[in-house]
Amino acid sequence: MGEFDLIRRFFQRPAAPGVEVGVGDDCAVLVPTPGARWLVSSDMLVEGRHFLSTVAPERLGHKALAVNLSDLAACGATPRGFTLALALPRVDEAWLAGFARGLWALADASGIPLIGGDTTQGPLNICITVFGEAPPGQVLLRSGARIGDEIWVSGRLGDARLALEVFRGTVALDGAGFDIVRAAMEYPTPRLALGQALRGIATAAIDISDGLLGDLGHILAASGVGAQLDVDALPRSSVLASQPMALQQECLLAGGDDYELVFTALAGAVLPDVGVPLTRIGVIEAEPGLRVVDAHGLSVEHGLRSFDHFAS
Amino acid sequence: MGEFDLIRRFFQRPAAPGVEVGVGDDCAVLVPTPGARWLVSSDMLVEGRHFLSTVAPERLGHKALAVNLSDLAACGATPRGFTLALALPRVDEAWLAGFARGLWALADASGIPLIGGDTTQGPLNICITVFGEAPPGQVLLRSGARIGDEIWVSGRLGDARLALEVFRGTVALDGAGFDIVRAAMEYPTPRLALGQALRGIATAAIDISDGLLGDLGHILAASGVGAQLDVDALPRSSVLASQPMALQQECLLAGGDDYELVFTALAGAVLPDVGVPLTRIGVIEAEPGLRVVDAHGLSVEHGLRSFDHFAS
């Protein structure tokens, strides 16, 4: 199977609404919504860094798009389209069929058409770029947190990291527990509806990809504020809650790969109900830095840092 | 140097006009031109397939962006922004400085800001996605060629392939000749001004990345027409013209990596002068297929095919 057959078979469909030209010309052509801002984000996934060789191709197809949609969600954007660039060591039709199935299922569920891309031979690499729209002045940014704002997080944290520890052999779980945390790692849900519902409500937002401490730290730095964070308030699964406290805290605070939203809002703001649990986890303060405390307000030591692809 | 330092040092600048939020949030935010269509293209470059390990990083930075801008050019788009996703085996500051220098030089010359992206550790891989705009109904597509249209090509063809043959050891050139063809391979010029000037004039267009026969073939297929092509009319450098005729024809017809535009226009149309030589190389015909002839109208045998990343 050649390059163009591969694209036709797995990655080409009739153009979707709002897409004037999709896959198959030099560029895709989209019809923007009048007055809307145009949002763009790009993520590259590499085997061994962002996913393990053991992941089912269908879950990988899902996750590769999910981590990109999570960036649109963090900005409150409505998805409009995405491109897929794929380097493959060889053409493995079963792998491609699974990958495409997972990718399309999430794309269809999220209402985002695949509009173009590239395929080439090389070490496995998946680069997706997503495009979305939001009304002017309603894009959720990292820079809007204000003193006294409450800090909230969606869903629950830490399961993906716990699953990684099982793969690393440092933690043992029973089959049912492993299935739960493995799904969190391999099958994250981008919080698109929540992000859109938070337009005009959240003062700042980010998605948690590198760990809560680091990603919340980006909000604090961009907003020029500090925060106090209640580690005991952090939402967690019963599987994670049954682990030793030090491991729980590491997974919750520095785990990464959560793809939940952490956001700030005026104290007492009415938050939207889109079927995703929201938990208040702290408060924005004037004093710079991030102070982690327990439910009794006592300081929790942490030497944790967020994930950095080039840190030694 | 960590991931975020790397981005700050080499790939972050103040936001450009029309860019509301650039590098440094979950998404970049752009202000679209009212009424314009939005164009998107993405290309992934892998060592050993799209470039040799011997290429200077500055030239690689240029070429990685150039091949993407060439897709915008082929559609007649005005550049608006691009994202860069980069997988690097390690942080090599000298390499990064050279790559960034080549990338920024072309970005500045083309008026296109870097608005976001991703960096990660992995086998060297460069994925760039470009965004541009064009007025509705004036996007140059592959599908508009009509019977009787003339076929034109910009610049000259085949030098990049000739350089590759030198690297492969099948051709020997003197130093001056090699410098000329090597620059064509490593330092292509995207025909942005020409593409924009061809809005409303060209009936179909494509850029030549996989070889003239294959890329012109895409126009013929999308337009439902055939063509006759005069191989002797194809523009070539004096370096290529001094090679055996069979090699000349292979480089001209199936070389690839040219990044010139091949386009069709009504016979007798007044073509724009943007300082790029334009050469008439054939005519669109009703009969399907592509007939290659010489200056005497005699059929030229060719078993050449265009480049396919997964062809065996």
Side-chain angles (χ1 to χ4, degrees):
Chain A
M1 181 166 44
E3 181 182 356
F4 299 111
D5 288 333
L6 185 161
I7 293 168
R8 264 190 295 271
R9 175 151 166 207
F10 294 110
F11 300 115
Q12 196 160 6
R13 284 188 183 179
V19 181
E20 204 165 80
V21 178
V23 175
D25 212 296
D26 290 273
C27 293
V29 183
L30 293 158
V31 184
T33 302
R37 291 293 185 263
W38 196 254
L39 283 79
V40 177
S41 186
S42 188
D43 271 315
M44 178 175 267
L45 281 77
V46 175
E47 185 172 299
R49 312 260 340 152
H50 304 89
F51 58 91
L52 303 174
S53 59
T54 50
V55 67
E58 188 162 351
R59 289 193 163 194
L60 183 59
H62 171 97
K63 183 168 179 176
L65 180 57
V67 304
N68 277 281
L69 292 177
S70 184
D71 285 314
L72 288 182
C75 289
T78 305
R80 285 298 313 273
F82 73 103
T83 57
L84 166 70
L86 196 55
L88 299 169
R90 74 204 70 82
V91 175
D92 175 339
E93 296 195 21
W95 188 94
L96 275 164
F99 180 86
R101 196 160 51 237
L103 185 85
W104 283 113
L106 179 60
D108 289 344
S110 307
I112 189 166
L114 174 62
I115 58 169
D118 195 14
T119 57
T120 186
Q121 193 175 48
L124 182 56
N125 185 305
I126 305 160
C127 182
I128 288 180
T129 307
V130 288
F131 322 102
E133 292 181 326
Q138 293 195 28
V139 178
L140 306 181
L141 299 176
R142 299 175 180 182
S143 52
R146 296 294 172 257
I147 297 160
D149 282 358
E150 294 176 330
I151 306 170
W152 295 80
V153 71
S154 66
R156 58 196 194 201
L157 304 180
D159 280 356
R161 172 61 177 275
L162 186 59
L164 183 60
E165 294 301 328
V166 174
F167 279 109
R168 285 172 170 167
T170 68
V171 172
L173 294 178
D174 63 26
F178 180 52
D179 285 347
I180 289 172
V181 298
R182 184 178 189 173
M185 181 174 84
E186 296 181 347
Y187 205 76
T189 303
R191 300 302 188 189
L192 286 164
L194 176 63
Q196 292 166 47
L198 286 172
R199 288 179 191 162
I201 296 172
T203 52
I206 192 170
D207 74 316
I208 305 176
S209 53
D210 294 336
L212 175 61
L213 289 186
D215 289 317
L216 178 56
H218 290 309
I219 286 184
L220 303 184
S223 301
V225 294
Q228 179 169 296
L229 188 70
D230 177 1
V231 69
D232 287 334
L234 295 175
R236 67 203 78 182
S237 69
S238 58
V239 182
L240 181 57
S242 68
Q243 298 298 313
M245 189 54 71
L247 177 60
Q248 285 189 48
Q249 292 188 356
E250 182 168 345
C251 291
L252 292 164
L253 293 170
D257 240 11
D258 294 301
Y259 303 106
E260 296 294 346
L261 300 187
V262 57
F263 62 92
T264 56
L266 276 177
V270 177
L271 298 179
D273 180 2
V274 296
V276 180
L278 301 178
T279 306
R280 185 159 57 98
I281 60 170
V283 64
I284 297 293
E285 298 177 335
E287 188 187 341
L290 181 54
R291 290 157 292 284
V292 181
V293 299
D294 65 15
H296 306 292
L298 296 173
S299 178
V300 174
E301 291 285 328
H302 65 90
L304 305 167
R305 58 178 183 184
S306 113
F307 189 74
D308 182 318
H309 283 289
F310 293 107
S312 51
Chain B
M1 183 165 43
E3 181 181 359
F4 300 111
D5 288 333
L6 184 161
I7 293 168
R8 264 190 295 271
R9 177 152 164 205
F10 295 110
F11 300 116
Q12 195 160 7
R13 285 189 182 177
V19 181
E20 204 165 79
V21 178
V23 174
D25 213 296
D26 291 274
C27 293
V29 183
L30 294 157
V31 185
T33 302
R37 291 292 185 260
W38 197 254
L39 283 79
V40 177
S41 185
S42 189
D43 270 315
M44 178 175 267
L45 281 78
V46 175
E47 184 171 302
R49 310 251 355 142
H50 303 90
F51 57 91
L52 303 173
S53 59
T54 50
V55 68
E58 188 162 350
R59 290 193 164 194
L60 183 58
H62 171 97
K63 184 168 180 177
L65 181 56
V67 305
N68 277 281
L69 292 177
S70 184
D71 285 313
L72 288 182
C75 289
T78 304
R80 283 299 312 273
F82 73 101
T83 58
L84 167 69
L86 196 55
L88 299 168
R90 74 203 70 82
V91 174
D92 175 339
E93 297 195 22
W95 189 94
L96 274 164
F99 180 86
R101 198 162 50 238
L103 185 84
W104 283 113
L106 180 59
D108 289 344
S110 307
I112 188 166
L114 173 62
I115 58 169
D118 195 13
T119 57
T120 187
Q121 193 175 48
L124 184 55
N125 186 304
I126 305 160
C127 182
I128 288 180
T129 307
V130 288
F131 322 101
E133 292 181 326
Q138 293 196 28
V139 179
L140 306 181
L141 299 176
R142 300 176 179 181
S143 51
R146 297 293 172 259
I147 297 160
D149 282 358
E150 293 175 330
I151 306 171
W152 295 79
V153 72
S154 65
R156 58 197 193 199
L157 304 180
D159 280 356
R161 172 62 177 275
L162 185 59
L164 183 60
E165 294 301 328
V166 175
F167 279 109
R168 284 174 170 167
T170 68
V171 173
L173 294 179
D174 64 27
F178 180 52
D179 285 347
I180 289 172
V181 299
R182 184 179 188 172
M185 180 174 84
E186 296 181 345
Y187 205 76
T189 302
R191 300 302 188 188
L192 285 164
L194 176 62
Q196 292 166 46
L198 286 172
R199 289 178 190 162
I201 297 172
T203 52
I206 192 171
D207 74 316
I208 306 175
S209 54
D210 295 336
L212 175 62
L213 289 186
D215 289 316
L216 178 55
H218 290 309
I219 286 183
L220 304 183
S223 301
V225 295
Q228 179 169 295
L229 188 70
D230 176 2
V231 70
D232 288 334
L234 295 175
R236 68 204 77 182
S237 69
S238 58
V239 182
L240 181 57
S242 67
Q243 299 298 313
M245 189 53 74
L247 176 60
Q248 285 189 46
Q249 292 188 354
E250 181 168 346
C251 292
L252 292 163
L253 294 171
D257 240 10
D258 295 301
Y259 305 104
E260 297 294 346
L261 300 187
V262 57
F263 62 94
T264 56
L266 276 176
V270 177
L271 298 179
D273 180 2
V274 296
V276 180
L278 301 177
T279 307
R280 186 158 57 97
I281 60 171
V283 63
I284 297 293
E285 298 177 335
E287 187 188 342
L290 181 54
R291 289 157 292 285
V292 181
V293 299
D294 64 16
H296 307 289
L298 296 174
S299 177
V300 174
E301 290 284 329
H302 65 90
L304 305 166
R305 59 180 182 182
S306 112
F307 189 74
D308 182 320
H309 283 288
F310 293 107
S312 52

